[in-house]
């Protein structure tokens, strides 16, 4: 059906429960998570290179002759060398279909990352060899823990000076409570990377960066005798460390990994494509395929049932040629066929899927069929929102995706009143995508919306996109609020009597949000009004 290095080609195989289960078993859908600058987008690029779906790996900053990375397609990402939005790449590797989701690492975009983690079956946690577990990595891991997502760990940048390998294993176990079970072990300390020993086979693979680093790494299998003669003390130290791992019982256990109690560990350097082939092979071999998903009814919907899926991301203007809106849908069950009529769970209305596409970063192609685990894009699906469920046959509803509490607020005005129509259209688009939350304020009126964000960088993305995509320059007037809580109509009337507080309406769902300058002020007001509703 697919060959190594090819993008996915449909064959319109008739749908049956058995066929759907087989196809679901061939899917591996995972996210790469890390702290900013740990090498997440570089790893995404390196995995695509090893699957032969790109000819050369790009670099985040595109230095020298190396192009930029596929997953960082937005102009702001390319200019600043950071990921500010999640991206999806789908490709085949041997007989497996890979759905790889790259996530923003910066804390300001935690809400986008959380949505992505609802759409995956496993995650790769990337650690900088010199820094170990960093704050944002810990936060993202906690989301994985809450969702019981199995996590693999890749110790990145082993070609640069860093921490001791055994010390990193201790840190993982002590700080996040996962038992590390290394599958590969480095020969040579960080900064003097010789290659890795496969703990399951005992095989040593010498690794060397290709000239320029954009191509596959140079690998050579060596016998223990050859390695000992060539690498001397580095080889001896690595084998002594392996003996310590065996003594502590740090051996891989499939059940513990799938139960999110242990994490397989690999070593390498994504920017030089070292150790990436091993990671990709391990993902195919050990990462879980699509499986039954919980519904709001409390049951688990099986993968071989009728079609169902949910929207976890909305993105517009990915391609200047198209200038359209794409809804990212994770398929949970059944076979998807382009053109099928599905039901929107929220409204009960039919929805046509004539324009369905396979996504590869910024690029896309028409796709005729897809299976559980796949991520597809529905074009110009303007009636769909983040968290919406789609299904065929018996009704099914998946849990809604929560909105994170905003901590930064700013009133927005267009600098040129003649651009007002485009200004309103841009605001509606950004709200629909969840780039920011848009609030309506009685005090300022409908003409001056208020942006609410988890972090200030969301404001930068919003203003950049308004200018780049809609030709609208705006002014931001930052408001003195840091805390938001949901209230009701009665609460709004109570809060009208208080100072230094506002109640605004969230445009997306009509929720009333009371905003305060700090938690102390909120607690003081709540203490004066015992009947005041203030929900997280």
């Amino acid at each position: 059906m697919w060959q190594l290095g090819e993008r996915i080609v449909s064959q319109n195989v008739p749908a049956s429960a058995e066929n759907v289960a087989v196809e679901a078993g061939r899917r591996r859908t995972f996210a790469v998570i890390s702290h900013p600058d740990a090498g997440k987008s570089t790893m995404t690029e390196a995995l695509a290179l090893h699957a032969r779906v790109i000819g050369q790996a790009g670099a985040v900053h595109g230095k020298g002759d190396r192009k930029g990375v596929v997953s960082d397609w937005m102009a702001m990402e390319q200019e600043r060398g950071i990921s500010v939005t999640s991206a999806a790449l789908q490709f085949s590797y041997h007989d497996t279909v890979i759905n790889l989701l790259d996530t923003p690492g910066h804390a300001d975009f935690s809400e986008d990352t959380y949505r992505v983690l609802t759409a995956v079956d496993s995650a790769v946690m990337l650690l900088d060899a010199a820094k170990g577990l960093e704050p944002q990595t810990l936060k993202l891991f906690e989301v994985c823990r809450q969702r019981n997502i199995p996590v693999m760990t890749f110790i990145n940048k082993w070609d640069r000076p860093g921490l001791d390998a055994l010390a990193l294993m201790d840190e993982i176990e002590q700080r996040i409570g996962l038992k590390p079970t290394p599958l590969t072990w480095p020969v040579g300390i960080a900064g003097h990377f010789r290659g890795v020993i496969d703990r399951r086979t005992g095989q040593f693979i010498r690794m060397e960066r290709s000239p320029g680093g954009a191509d596959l790494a140079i690998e050579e299998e060596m016998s223990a005798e050859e390695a000992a003669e060539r690498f001397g003390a580095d080889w001896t130290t690595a084998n002594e460390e392996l003996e310590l791992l065996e003594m502590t019982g740090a051996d891989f256990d499939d059940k513990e990994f799938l139960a999110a109690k242990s994490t397989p560990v690999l070593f390498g350097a994504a920017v030089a494509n070292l150790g990436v082939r091993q990671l990709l092979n391990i993902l195919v071999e050990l990462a879980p395929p699509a499986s039954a998903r919980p519904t709001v009814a409390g049951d688990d919907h099986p993968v071989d049932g009728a079609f169902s899926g949910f929207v976890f991301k909305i993105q517009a203007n990915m391609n200047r040629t198209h200038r359209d809106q794409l809804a990212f849908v994770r398929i949970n069950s059944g076979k998807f066929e382009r053109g099928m009529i599905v039901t929107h769970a929220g409204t009960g209305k039919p929805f046509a899927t004539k324009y369905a596409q396979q996504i590869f970063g910024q690029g896309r192609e028409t796709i005729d069929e897809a299976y559980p685990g796949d991520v597809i894009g529905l074009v110009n699906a303007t009636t769909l929102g983040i968290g919406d469920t789609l299904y065929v046959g018996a009704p099914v509803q998946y849990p809604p995706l929560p909105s994170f509490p905003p901590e930064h607020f700013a009133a927005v005005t267009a600098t040129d009143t003649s651009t007002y129509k485009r200004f309103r259209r841009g605001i509606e688009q950004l709200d629909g995508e969840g780039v920011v939350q848009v609030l309506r304020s009685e005090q300022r009126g409908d003409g001056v919306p208020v942006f609410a964000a988890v972090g200030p960088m969301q404001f930068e993305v919003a203003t950049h996109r308004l200018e780049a995509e809609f030709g609208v320059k705006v002014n931001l007037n930052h408001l003195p609020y840091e805390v938001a809580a949901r209230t009701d109509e009665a609460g709004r009337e109570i809060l009208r009597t208080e100072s230094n507080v506002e109640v605004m309406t969230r445009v997306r769902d009509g929720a009333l949000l009371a905003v305060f300058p700090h938690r102390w002020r909120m607690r003081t007001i709540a203490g004066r009004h015992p009947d005041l509703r203030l929900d997280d």
Side-chain angles (χ1 to χ4, degrees):
M1 187 173 183
W2 293 289
Q3 295 180 359
L4 177 64
E6 291 185 346
R7 299 284 289 281
I8 298 169
V9 179
S10 301
Q11 290 189 340
N12 290 316
V13 178
S16 68
E18 182 179 0
N19 185 56
V20 168
V22 170
E23 290 295 336
R26 297 176 54 234
R27 267 64 183 172
R28 299 293 183 272
T29 304
F30 62 93
V32 182
I33 61 172
S34 75
H35 194 82
D37 298 324
K40 181 172 40 59
S41 295
T42 303
M43 172 59 77
T44 300
E45 191 84 352
L47 289 167
L49 173 69
H50 279 76
R52 301 293 201 276
V53 288
I54 57 174
Q56 286 191 325
V60 168
H61 294 281
K63 294 178 180 178
D65 295 330
R66 292 186 71 171
K67 59 184 179 62
V69 296
V70 171
S71 59
D72 286 350
W73 55 268
M74 194 179 289
M76 185 176 178
E77 294 177 309
Q78 295 167 354
E79 291 166 5
R80 300 181 59 164
I82 59 171
S83 297
V84 301
T85 186
S86 53
L89 290 85
Q90 187 185 62
F91 52 87
S92 58
Y93 180 66
H94 298 312
D95 195 41
T96 301
V97 180
I98 303 292
N99 291 278
L100 168 55
L101 302 180
D102 182 24
T103 63
H106 199 285
D108 288 7
F109 307 107
S110 298
E111 192 167 8
D112 191 13
T113 302
Y114 180 89
R115 294 174 193 142
V116 168
L117 291 175
T118 66
V120 301
D121 302 308
S122 62
V124 174
M125 180 170 66
L126 215 60
L127 302 187
D128 185 324
K131 300 175 181 177
L133 284 164
E134 298 177 87
Q136 184 63 5
T137 311
L138 292 169
K139 290 180 181 178
L140 296 175
F141 170 74
E142 283 305 318
V143 176
C144 293
R145 189 201 299 275
Q146 291 164 14
R147 300 191 61 82
N148 209 37
I149 296 173
V151 174
M152 292 187 181
T153 300
F154 188 88
I155 309 296
N156 195 27
K157 303 185 182 181
W158 202 255
D159 58 338
R160 306 178 190 179
L163 302 173
D164 176 76
L166 288 173
L168 285 166
M169 298 304 100
D170 288 340
E171 182 182 26
I172 291 171
E173 187 159 24
Q174 292 172 13
R175 296 190 67 186
I176 64 177
L178 280 187
K179 180 181 179 181
T181 57
L183 296 178
T184 65
W185 194 255
V187 173
I189 62 172
H192 295 277
F193 191 26
R194 313 297 191 183
V196 297
I197 298 172
D198 186 323
R199 287 191 67 210
R200 296 186 295 175
T201 66
Q203 179 186 63
F204 171 65
I205 304 167
R206 184 186 73 82
M207 296 178 178
E208 181 182 338
R209 180 189 183 116
S210 66
D215 296 310
L216 297 178
I218 299 166
E219 295 186 0
E220 176 189 7
E221 295 180 10
M222 298 180 68
S223 67
E225 292 75 19
E226 291 174 311
E229 181 178 350
R230 183 163 178 177
F231 299 120
D234 286 340
W235 177 257
T236 301
T237 299
N239 279 278
E240 290 173 349
E241 292 170 335
L242 287 177
E243 290 179 7
L244 285 174
L245 291 173
E246 290 177 11
M247 290 172 59
T248 58
D251 297 324
F252 175 75
D253 182 287
D254 188 58
K255 291 182 179 178
E256 286 196 342
F257 164 58
L258 294 178
K261 295 180 179 179
S262 69
T263 178
V265 182
L266 298 94
F267 289 78
V271 73
N273 300 304
L274 304 175
V276 178
R277 180 179 67 84
Q278 288 72 21
L279 174 62
L280 186 55
N281 288 336
I282 290 296
L283 279 163
V284 168
E285 178 187 353
L286 301 179
S291 59
R293 287 232 162 188
T295 70
V296 294
D299 60 336
D300 289 336
H301 195 69
V303 295
D304 58 359
F307 167 80
S308 70
F310 70 96
V311 179
F312 67 90
K313 176 180 175 65
I314 301 286
Q315 183 75 55
N317 303 326
M318 292 177 66
N319 188 317
R320 289 184 177 272
T321 304
H322 297 291
R323 286 288 184 180
D324 50 19
Q325 178 171 302
L326 207 63
F328 289 64
V329 178
R330 150 75 192 224
I331 298 176
N332 287 347
S333 66
K335 179 182 179 181
F336 171 84
E337 296 178 276
R338 185 169 63 90
M340 70 192 308
I341 304 298
V342 301
T343 301
H344 183 285
T347 64
K349 294 180 179 180
F351 180 86
T353 61
K354 181 180 179 181
Y355 302 105
Q357 297 189 328
Q358 170 193 339
I359 307 164
F360 191 80
Q362 187 178 13
R364 41 196 164 131
E365 298 174 357
T366 297
I367 188 169
D368 292 321
E369 63 182 41
Y371 292 91
D374 283 340
V375 172
I376 62 171
L378 296 180
V379 182
N380 284 334
T382 54
T383 59
L384 298 182
I386 293 171
D388 286 355
T389 297
L390 301 173
Y391 66 87
V392 168
V396 60
Q397 176 84 55
Y398 293 105
L401 302 185
S403 294
F404 280 30
E407 299 177 6
H408 302 267
F409 303 84
V412 192
T413 54
T415 58
D416 183 352
T417 56
S418 68
T419 63
Y420 185 72
K421 287 186 178 179
R422 279 179 280 144
F423 171 72
R424 295 300 303 176
R425 191 165 67 249
I427 296 294
E428 290 171 6
Q429 181 63 57
L430 297 178
D431 189 30
E433 293 181 26
V435 176
V436 288
Q437 295 181 43
V438 178
L439 310 181
R440 185 173 62 250
S441 158
E442 287 184 351
Q443 181 177 322
R444 296 166 189 82
D446 289 344
V448 184
V450 172
F451 282 171
V454 174
M457 197 174 289
Q458 288 178 263
F459 292 154
E460 293 185 46
V461 173
T463 55
H464 173 87
R465 289 190 57 190
L466 283 170
E467 183 172 357
E469 298 173 20
F470 297 92
V472 178
K473 291 185 177 182
V474 298
N475 290 322
L476 291 184
N477 177 26
H478 294 273
L479 304 179
Y481 304 119
E482 296 179 1
V483 179
R486 290 188 66 151
T487 188
D488 52 20
E489 286 292 347
R492 171 149 58 184
E493 293 306 314
I494 292 172
L495 293 171
R496 289 186 197 279
T497 66
E498 296 286 350
S499 60
N500 299 323
V501 60
E502 281 190 63
V503 176
M504 304 186 196
T505 303
R506 188 162 58 196
V507 174
R508 187 184 309 166
D509 57 6
L512 296 179
L513 299 188
V515 293
F516 304 86
H518 39 68
R519 291 200 173 274
W520 178 84
R521 179 62 177 157
M522 183 175 71
R523 286 195 291 265
T524 299
I525 293 174
R528 280 203 295 266
H529 304 282
D531 296 331
L532 175 63
R533 176 187 170 188
L534 292 174
D535 298 334
D536 289 337

